[in-house]
Amino acid sequence: MNRRHCAAAAITLVCALTALTAPAQAFAAPAPPSPSVTQHQSGPKAPKKTLEEVREEIDDLYRKAGAATDAYNLAEEKAKKQSGEIVRLARAIVQGQAKIAELKAQAGAQAREQYRTGGLPPGAQFMLSDDPQLFLDGVNRVREGQQAAQGVLGELTRTQQDLETYTQDASANWEKLEAGRLEQAEAKKKINAQIAAAKKLESRLKKEERARLLKLEQEAEYKLQTAWLSSGALKDINREASASGKKAVAFATAQIGKPYVWGAEGPKSYDCSGLTSQAWAAAGRPIPRTSQEQWRLLRHIDIKDMRPGDLIIYFSDASHVGMYIGDGAIVHAPRPGRNVTLAGAGSMQILGVVRPDK
């Protein structure tokens, strides 16, 4: 029971990120070439890297953590469903066992009755009568008795078959649950390793270097956002949000300032898909938990048809998601070390747009 309880517990995890800060900050003016990074470590001197190289390395680590996070979240969602199915099957097995016991009791009562009457049903005695009406009544009672006995045996057989099927299905789900648990453990290990490596790189930087690194991140976002806007992407985007879309946007923007935590679904912290899924749940439209499943299962929309409340999926592996709020901006949970914030919708590589409602 302890194993079953642990397997059924809700574990969740996140879709992760390479996101950054608000559009107002992201539009910083270009700066001079990056200086070399100061290495704070003992032992042989490692080749110095520029801050831009460090930024790219950190960004890559968080991207890998994001991909592992989405895999973890998906495994967690499957575990929830499998645990729920196991509970349902367990109840069906208990009910089936009770039904079998009841049917066996009925069959036993019928057998004892036949023994007491010398093997003849009570109605058979009327068949020996000279009274035609009693004879007909006897025939009917014998037929009814036979049908009742056959019905009990048939139902007993079906219930036993169902019970066997339930047991086999429960066993299969336990195996899937165990496999999912191993997948989650491996994904969690990868996530923690990538995040730890990124934090280690950042910790080696001096205070002024960390400030410069943040500025480089903002400049990279600004460059992508400017290119996206220059392409005319917003030219035809002027649609109003649906009623449920307005509710989703209101929920998501109300979370601005709360920290990113991978696997979190609120109310104090969120990961990227935790924010979008909870926002649409608050709007009365449950959607898949992970960014990859949101991309796979929700209706795809052309960017020119985008409206507030729609979800923009980022990167080729669909490892990040933000909610479009209008005027070329999104609200999203960027990555570890960042808070839920606003950003340019084109400040990351766009894979596509999906719409949770009609």
Side-chain angles (χ1 to χ4, degrees):
M1 286 302 294
N2 185 50
R3 177 184 175 193
R4 181 175 303 178
H5 176 73
C6 292
I11 330 163
T12 88
L13 171 37
V14 50
C15 98
L17 37 275
T18 83
L20 300 83
T21 52
Q25 297 175 326
F27 299 154
S34 304
S36 297
V37 174
T38 303
Q39 301 292 331
H40 300 288
Q41 54 185 6
S42 58
K45 290 186 177 180
K48 291 184 177 180
K49 296 179 181 179
T50 66
L51 268 175
E52 179 59 27
E53 290 174 330
V54 173
R55 185 194 71 80
E56 291 177 354
E57 186 174 352
I58 290 173
D59 187 66
D60 182 62
L61 287 168
Y62 280 127
R63 282 287 314 283
K64 289 177 179 177
T69 289
D70 220 45
Y72 183 95
N73 282 340
L74 182 58
E76 186 271 340
E77 283 298 290
K78 289 180 178 179
K80 283 183 180 178
K81 292 179 181 178
Q82 286 159 357
S83 295
E85 183 65 11
I86 288 171
V87 170
R88 186 190 69 79
L89 289 168
R91 289 173 178 166
I93 289 172
V94 170
Q95 292 171 353
Q97 290 172 335
K99 186 65 176 177
I100 286 175
E102 179 185 343
L103 291 170
K104 285 183 175 179
Q106 291 181 20
Q110 290 175 346
R112 288 191 296 273
E113 179 64 23
Q114 286 189 355
Y115 178 78
R116 285 195 298 269
T117 59
L120 291 176
Q125 299 173 12
F126 291 99
M127 293 177 65
L128 302 177
S129 174
D130 293 332
D131 188 323
Q133 187 59 48
L134 289 177
F135 178 81
L136 292 175
D137 290 343
V139 170
N140 289 333
R141 292 188 183 183
V142 169
R143 185 181 294 115
E144 290 172 358
Q146 290 174 338
Q147 290 175 346
Q150 290 173 354
V152 169
L153 292 176
E155 189 174 357
L156 180 60
T157 300
R158 288 191 299 272
T159 302
Q160 288 174 329
Q161 291 173 343
D162 289 343
L163 195 59
E164 183 177 348
T165 300
Y166 295 152
T167 303
Q168 291 174 349
D169 289 348
S171 177
N173 274 281
W174 274 115
E175 291 177 2
K176 291 178 182 178
L177 199 62
E178 179 65 12
R181 186 191 67 78
L182 295 175
E183 289 176 6
Q184 286 176 310
E186 183 62 25
K188 184 176 181 180
K189 182 179 178 181
K190 289 180 180 179
I191 293 163
N192 288 332
Q194 302 293 351
I195 292 176
K199 288 182 177 179
K200 185 176 182 180
L201 277 176
E202 290 179 310
S203 70
R204 292 174 178 173
L205 302 177
K206 292 181 178 179
K207 182 178 179 180
E208 58 270 22
E209 289 174 334
R210 287 196 293 271
R212 177 73 185 119
L213 181 66
L214 176 60
K215 196 170 185 179
L216 286 174
E217 293 176 350
Q218 295 169 347
E219 290 169 0
E221 283 191 337
Y222 173 80
K223 182 177 180 180
L224 287 172
Q225 175 75 353
T226 301
W228 185 67
L229 293 176
S230 299
S231 70
L234 286 181
K235 182 179 179 181
D236 298 319
I237 303 178
N238 57 2
R239 290 167 176 77
E240 287 287 327
S242 64
S244 55
K246 290 179 181 178
K247 292 179 182 178
V249 169
F251 180 94
T253 53
Q255 312 312 310
I256 290 174
K258 294 182 179 181
Y260 176 103
V261 174
W262 63 264
E265 298 178 89
K268 295 183 179 180
S269 58
Y270 295 88
D271 63 35
C272 66
S273 57
L275 177 65
T276 55
S277 61
Q278 287 301 306
W280 272 100
R285 176 68 169 87
I287 63 173
R289 167 64 175 86
T290 71
S291 59
Q292 291 181 347
E293 289 296 279
Q294 289 170 4
W295 173 245
R296 186 174 72 88
L297 297 174
L298 298 180
R299 183 161 64 102
H300 289 206
I301 299 294
D302 288 337
I303 289 181
K304 64 181 179 63
D305 296 323
M306 190 164 58
R307 70 190 187 195
D310 288 343
L311 305 181
I312 303 181
I313 308 298
Y314 293 97
F315 309 119
S316 59
D317 58 359
S319 59
H320 191 69
V321 59
M323 179 179 291
Y324 186 65
I325 61 172
D327 297 325
I330 61 168
V331 58
H332 73 144
R335 66 165 174 82
R338 299 286 190 268
N339 296 331
V340 175
T341 187
L342 299 179
S347 60
M348 295 169 282
Q349 177 194 347
I350 294 176
L351 176 61
V353 181
V354 294
R355 177 166 295 165
D357 60 348
K358 295 181 179 179

